[in-house]
Structure formats: C-alpha cells, structure tokens
C-alpha cells in the first residue's frame, strides 16, 4: 500500500470528504477509525443488527482507498477468525458485494464514481449482508428453496450462524482489533447479560433472532418458537463458554449462566 504522501492532492481531498460524510451520517451501530498518516486506510466495526443471527456481535473490517479512488471502489477485508458465517463473507476475508465489484449485480448496485461512498459500503454490509435471512444470500437459493422447505433451511442456517457469531464474540474479546480494545471491552460488558438471556431463550426453543428483551427478560409476546433439537443441545455448551469469557471481561450477573447444562 502506498503512503498518503505519494498520492495526488485530489485523492487526499476525496478521502477527507469521505471522512466528513462518515462523521455526519454514520449510524450509531457502525464505528470507524481513520489514520491521518495513512489516509488510504480505515478500520470499521459493525454491530450485528437486532432481529438477526448476528445480533450484538462485533464484525471488523479493514478498508483501503486505492490510488484511483473514487474511480474504482474501495477494497474491504473482513476479519473472519477462520469462520464462515455468511455466504458473502469468506474465511479468507473476501467481502462479496456488488458495490465493491466483487460480485455481479444490476448497474445501479455497482460502484458509481462521484456518487457512491464509503458510508454506502458500510451500511450495505450491515443491511444487505448481516440480515435476518442470510441463507438466501447464496445465489439461486431464493428460487430453489421456496415455501416451507426454504424456511426450514433458513432457520437451520440461522442457528449455525448464531453459534459462529458467539465464537466470533469470543475471538474478538480474546484478540480485539488494534485501537478498538476499549470499545470491544465496553461493548461486551454492556451487552453480556442481554446476549446470555437471548441464548437462554434459544435453549428453551425460541427461534434465533426472535428474542426481544423487556426489562432484562425475554418478552414472551414476541418470541417465535421452533428451534431444532440439535441446536437446543449445542447452545447450552456455548452459553457456558461465552459466560466464562464475559465474566473474565468484567461483566456482572453472568456467573449464573456458567453452570448451564442440558
């Protein structure tokens, strides 16, 4: 990667304009850090949206503005920890998205120089990739698996993804991204109890993503039941491991979950 000093002034101005857009319009669930000495680099953490199998997780991306930016899209690398928890996010770090030119799509979905922005890239990752039915992100699945069969496969995929999301939480806690150490610690201290309450509801049969918390407990009027028996066996083991990590991280009221067994 070339240093910022070697780039033309027009490139630097474009990056500064991107910073201003991010500072003004970035959603509360996306955090970025830029580097004045290396303007071509940007690191982002996206919080998994509520109602999805990614809820409360932290997903880390490194972004690079190439020398020809904005005439070509930015490059984005995902820190997978070796886990494949979405059809669009590869173990190797590749992010499959039309806007990045890493996947084909309609013309209006592709990168448009002078119009598309880094903000658009980050919001698209959160909304289009980290969604509530990622099974159907796989090309052709929406037309191949319809009706009851499609919903069954999608539900099972969400269960698998949530387990991988819990493993990603552990990985991120143990090896937080540089310059985001305090953020990671604080996020999981604040969200630990809610994550474990949701896990407990999943253990008792709630479908992944259907848990809505009210005063620290799962709202029974919002729950949708129908998780698989295999998932009910797996999730208690994960509760114990995740609770242990949260306690080590300084979270309170999580010790009660460490003894969870099925």
């Amino acid at each position: 990667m070339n240093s910022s000093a070697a780039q033309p002034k027009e490139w630097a101005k474009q990056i500064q304009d991107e910073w201003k857009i991010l500072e003004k319009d970035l959603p509360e669930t996306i955090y970025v850090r830029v580097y004045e000495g290396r303007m071509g680099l940007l690191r982002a953490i996206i919080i998994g949206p509520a109602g999805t199998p990614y809820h409360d997780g932290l997903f880390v991306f490194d972004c690079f503005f190439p020398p020809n930016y904005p005439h070509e899209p930015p490059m984005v690398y995902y820190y997978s920890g070796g886990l494949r928890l979405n059809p669009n996010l590869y173990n190797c770090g590749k992010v499959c998205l039309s806007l990045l030119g890493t996947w084909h799509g309609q013309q209006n979905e592709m990168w448009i120089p002078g119009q598309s922005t880094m903000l658009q890239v980050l919001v698209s990752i959160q909304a289009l990739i980290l969604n509530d039915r990622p099974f159907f992100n796989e090309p052709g699945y929406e037309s191949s698996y319809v009706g009851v069969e499609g919903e069954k496969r999608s539900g099972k995929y969400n269960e698998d993804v949530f387990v991988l999301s819990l493993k990603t939480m552990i990985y991120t806690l143990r090896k937080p991204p540089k310059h985001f150490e305090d953020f990671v610690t604080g996020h999981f201290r604040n969200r630990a109890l809610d994550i474990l309450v949701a896990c407990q509801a999943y253990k008792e049969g709630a479908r992944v993503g259907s848990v809505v918390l009210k005063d620290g407990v799962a709202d029974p009027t919002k729950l949708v039941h129908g998780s698989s028996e295999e998932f009910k066996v797996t999730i208690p083991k994960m509760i114990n491991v995740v609770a242990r990590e949260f306690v080590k991280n300084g979270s309170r009221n999580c010790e009660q979950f460490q003894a969870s067994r099925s």
Side-chain angles (χ1 to χ4, degrees):
M1 294 183 182
N2 297 328
S3 67
S4 302
Q7 303 299 336
K9 291 182 179 180
E10 293 80 6
W11 177 87
K13 182 182 182 305
Q14 184 67 41
I15 306 304
Q16 290 172 331
D17 288 344
E18 291 280 3
W19 291 354
K20 291 175 184 176
I21 294 171
L22 290 169
E23 186 176 19
K24 178 176 178 288
D25 297 323
L26 200 66
E28 292 182 355
T29 50
I30 301 177
Y31 296 79
V32 302
R33 187 179 180 93
V34 299
Y35 307 91
E36 291 187 5
R38 298 292 299 277
M39 292 180 66
L41 300 178
L42 177 151
R43 176 163 286 176
I45 286 189
I46 298 177
I47 300 177
T52 75
Y54 306 102
H55 68 80
D56 298 304
L58 297 180
F59 303 93
V60 184
F61 299 85
D62 274 350
C63 308
F64 172 62
F65 296 100
N68 290 332
Y69 190 85
H71 302 292
E72 60 180 291
M75 300 168 66
V76 179
Y77 175 87
Y78 167 61
Y79 281 86
S80 70
L83 304 174
R84 181 82 184 274
L85 44 61
N86 189 285
N88 299 71
L89 301 176
Y90 287 69
N91 300 34
C92 64
K94 178 182 178 181
V95 178
C96 220
L97 188 68
S98 301
L99 192 59
L100 296 174
T102 50
W103 181 250
H104 57 78
Q106 302 295 325
Q107 190 61 39
N108 61 350
E109 298 173 339
M110 307 297 281
W111 182 264
I112 302 174
Q115 185 174 324
S116 301
T117 64
M118 177 57 73
L119 173 65
Q120 187 181 351
V121 169
L122 297 175
V123 170
S124 294
I125 291 172
Q126 186 180 56
L128 301 180
I129 294 180
L130 303 176
N131 63 48
D132 60 339
R133 301 169 76 199
F135 174 79
F136 294 107
N137 283 20
E138 195 70 57
Y141 277 19
E142 202 157 18
S143 56
S144 300
Y145 299 104
V146 297
V148 175
E149 178 65 16
E151 291 304 315
K152 181 180 178 182
R153 288 176 178 263
S154 177
K156 178 62 171 65
Y157 187 83
N158 277 6
E159 293 174 354
D160 295 341
V161 163
F162 182 69
V163 171
L164 293 177
S165 184
L166 290 177
K167 291 181 178 181
T168 300
M169 293 180 193
I170 295 170
Y171 166 80
T172 306
L173 264 172
R174 290 177 178 174
K175 193 176 180 181
K178 192 174 181 180
H179 304 303
F180 279 98
E181 294 89 349
D182 290 343
F183 174 80
V184 169
T185 298
H187 171 81
F188 285 117
R189 278 183 184 165
N190 291 333
R191 301 301 301 165
L193 188 58
D194 287 351
I195 293 168
L196 291 169
V197 168
C199 287
Q200 189 68 26
Y202 297 150
K203 174 188 171 184
E204 295 168 1
R207 297 196 70 172
V208 170
S210 72
V211 175
V212 177
L213 298 181
K214 186 177 181 181
D215 299 325
V217 298
D219 185 347
T221 66
K222 305 290 186 182
L223 291 178
V224 177
H225 289 274
S227 59
S228 69
E229 293 303 316
E230 181 185 355
F231 183 60
K232 291 176 187 176
V233 171
T234 301
I235 201 66
K237 300 172 186 175
M238 290 303 304
I239 290 175
N240 195 43
V241 175
V242 172
R244 186 165 59 244
E245 290 296 325
F246 287 165
V247 169
K248 287 192 330 191
N249 187 51
S251 296
R252 298 180 177 180
N253 303 319
C254 294
E255 293 89 347
Q256 59 183 307
F257 294 94
Q258 285 186 264
S260 295
R261 293 288 187 273
S262 61

